Amino acid sequence: VLQNLSQTPVLRELLKEAKVPGTTVKIESPELCMLFCFSFKQEPQLIKLDQPGPLTLAMHQFVTEMQETKKGVVTPKELFAQVCKKAIRFKGYQQQDSHELLRYLLDGMRAEE
């Protein structure tokens, strides 16, 4: 799940933008508009981003590390710790489904908007 998310160009760009509080993002592409536009108009949308939360910052850090070619092995310890704070069911390293992690991760980041 994390490898797939780290290779999603739209998410990478939004995480870069979200790292700087007060940034205004212009959403023009149909793919992004499908995610964020609340109307069916294809007009560009402007969204002002607030201070990113700890889960969003941890996701940004993880994606950045995944993109560094010289980094070697990347472990998502901080990201996992932040997910565990939002979804206590992940504490204890029990078996969990990947779609549950994806849901809690994306819902947690959205709640920080």
Side-chain angles (χ1 to χ4, degrees):
V1 167
L2 294 177
Q3 287 175 336
N4 286 329
L5 288 175
S6 72
Q7 297 302 315
T8 306
V10 171
L11 180 63
R12 283 197 319 258
E13 290 303 313
L14 285 174
L15 285 171
K16 264 190 237 179
E17 298 290 333
K19 191 163 187 314
V20 181
T23 300
T24 300
V25 178
K26 185 176 184 180
I27 299 175
E28 295 183 82
S29 71
E31 298 86 23
L32 279 176
C33 203
M34 286 173 47
L35 293 173
F36 295 103
C37 299
F38 299 107
S39 66
F40 293 103
K41 298 177 186 175
Q42 291 297 322
E43 299 172 8
Q45 299 289 316
L46 296 176
I47 298 174
K48 185 173 182 189
L49 302 175
D50 294 329
Q51 176 71 34
L55 181 59
T56 303
L57 289 173
M59 184 65 181
H60 175 267
Q61 181 63 37
F62 175 76
V63 168
T64 301
E65 288 179 13
M66 286 287 291
Q67 297 301 308
E68 293 177 7
T69 56
K70 296 178 184 177
K71 183 70 179 171
V73 176
V74 176
T75 58
K77 286 182 185 179
E78 180 58 28
L79 179 58
F80 185 68
Q82 293 301 323
V83 169
C84 288
K85 287 179 183 179
K86 302 274 184 191
I88 203 157
R89 69 176 17 190
F90 288 102
K91 286 186 176 180
Y93 301 99
Q94 296 177 11
Q95 181 84 20
Q96 300 291 338
D97 292 332
S98 60
H99 71 275
E100 290 177 349
L101 173 70
L102 177 63
R103 191 182 100 212
Y104 282 105
L105 176 62
L106 295 179
D107 285 348
M109 287 175 26
R110 184 171 189 186
E112 292 181 345
E113 288 179 348

